[in-house]
Amino acid sequence: MEMNLAILLLLSPFVGFLFNVFFGKKVSKGFSGTIGTLTVVVSFLLSVCFFAQLNQNGKAFEFSLFDWIQVGNFKLNFGILLDQLSILWLLFVTGIGSLIHLYSISYMHDDENMHKFFAYLNLFVFFMITLVVGSNLLVMFIGWEGVGLCSYLLIGFWYKNQDYNDAAKKAFIMNRVGDLGLLIGIFILANSFGTLDYISLKTAVSETYIMPAFLSIASLCLFIGATGKSAQIPLYTWLPDAMAGPTPISALIHAATMVTAGVYMVARFHF
């Protein structure tokens, strides 16, 4: 039951994305926006339920959905981890996301591509949830890249203005610089410990001896990824230009969710 609820929490915004892609233009703008908003509200309510359960019994929820990668001794599952950190972040992402979706219904009502806007918004929230609830670095990386793609689509949403297109491209390219650092860090950790699972990595770091230099380089590479995503020096110059997108995008991506992804990742790997 809990596993089904966790999957629903993850996939609900994706259902909103699919609805707006295939049926958004055929229904009224208000209905399109309402469906997009309700799917995020469902995720928020489920996040509150998991938060209440975690508060009650203090035990994290871990679900393995399927075996994903197995190469030699390296094995990785596609899993969901709902612990104190991820549920706290989920409350931010889905709670603030719901309010911004609600505000966007009236803000974007006169835009002819309103259904497309809500499709991108829903897709962004889906990838942000994936980033937060993934039980290992590779699942987090899928969400990491997904929110980068959605930020490109949303910043350049009014694509007829070339300045907005340039701002979207700048954000996309500078994030890729940080993502290269993150990828190198992932490769170093996978090679050193034979796993990318958070819980296994935490145990391996304390029990396995590797040269401190390798651990320092891996940490630095992960931090470069955080620097790009969270617009920290020196990879911060994309953020002021990114305000070219519609106002709800600045509120959702550049104030509440995507720019905190780097902070989440640093907190996740505190060990």
Side-chain angles (χ1 to χ4, degrees):
M1 178 64 180
E2 288 171 345
M3 184 172 172
N4 291 336
L5 289 177
I7 294 170
L8 179 61
L9 189 160
L10 174 64
L11 292 181
S12 182
F14 191 70
V15 172
F17 162 73
L18 292 177
F19 176 85
N20 276 308
V21 165
F22 292 110
F23 305 110
K25 209 162 189 175
K26 298 173 185 176
V27 298
S28 68
K29 290 181 180 179
F31 189 71
S32 171
T34 302
I35 293 294
T37 304
L38 285 176
T39 54
V40 182
V41 170
V42 168
S43 292
F44 173 66
L45 294 175
L46 289 171
S47 300
V48 172
C49 290
F50 279 111
F51 176 77
Q53 286 190 55
L54 186 70
N55 215 24
Q56 194 172 12
N57 56 34
K59 188 180 177 185
F61 303 93
E62 188 176 8
F63 311 106
S64 179
L65 302 185
F66 55 86
D67 293 337
W68 189 15
I69 298 172
Q70 186 162 7
V71 181
N73 295 326
F74 182 82
K75 185 181 178 185
L76 204 61
N77 295 328
F78 194 102
I80 293 174
L81 176 65
L82 296 173
D83 60 1
Q84 288 176 321
L85 181 64
S86 57
I87 289 178
L88 177 66
W89 238 264
L90 276 179
L91 292 174
F92 281 121
V93 171
T94 56
I96 296 174
S98 300
L99 294 174
I100 291 170
H101 275 70
L102 185 63
Y103 174 72
S104 298
I105 294 175
S106 59
Y107 184 88
M108 296 297 292
H109 196 267
D110 294 331
D111 196 292
E112 60 180 345
N113 291 318
M114 180 176 167
H115 65 285
K116 194 185 294 184
F117 181 79
F118 272 92
Y120 294 162
L121 269 187
N122 282 149
L123 188 63
F124 174 85
V125 174
F126 164 71
F127 278 125
M128 194 67 206
I129 294 174
T130 304
L131 188 157
V132 170
V133 303
S135 64
N136 59 66
L137 251 171
L138 219 51
V139 177
M140 189 194 81
F141 188 72
I142 291 173
W144 192 274
E145 289 300 302
V147 293
L149 169 66
C150 292
S151 70
Y152 168 76
L153 295 172
L154 288 163
I155 293 166
F157 183 74
W158 288 321
Y159 58 89
K160 292 178 182 177
N161 187 320
Q162 188 56 41
D163 290 341
Y164 295 175
N165 289 335
D166 293 340
K169 284 185 279 189
K170 185 176 181 180
F172 189 77
I173 292 166
M174 290 195 75
N175 272 284
R176 296 295 76 73
V177 174
D179 294 352
L180 177 61
L182 178 64
L183 261 181
I184 294 169
I186 291 173
F187 291 147
I188 293 172
L189 290 174
N191 185 59
S192 301
F193 300 110
T195 183
L196 291 172
D197 185 78
Y198 298 144
I199 296 171
S200 303
L201 266 178
K202 189 173 183 179
T203 307
V205 167
S206 58
E207 295 179 355
T208 310
Y209 176 78
I210 67 164
M211 289 177 64
F214 276 108
L215 212 51
S216 299
I217 293 168
S219 301
L220 179 64
C221 289
L222 292 178
F223 192 73
I224 289 171
T227 301
K229 194 65 75 185
S230 295
Q232 299 168 39
I233 295 172
L235 299 176
Y236 69 96
T237 55
W238 65 268
L239 188 57
D241 293 355
M243 299 303 162
T247 300
I249 302 312
S250 300
L252 180 66
I253 297 180
H254 311 128
T257 52
M258 192 180 92
V259 293
T260 62
V263 181
Y264 169 79
M265 194 256 287
V266 171
R268 175 59 76 191
F269 287 96
H270 68 92
F271 56 85

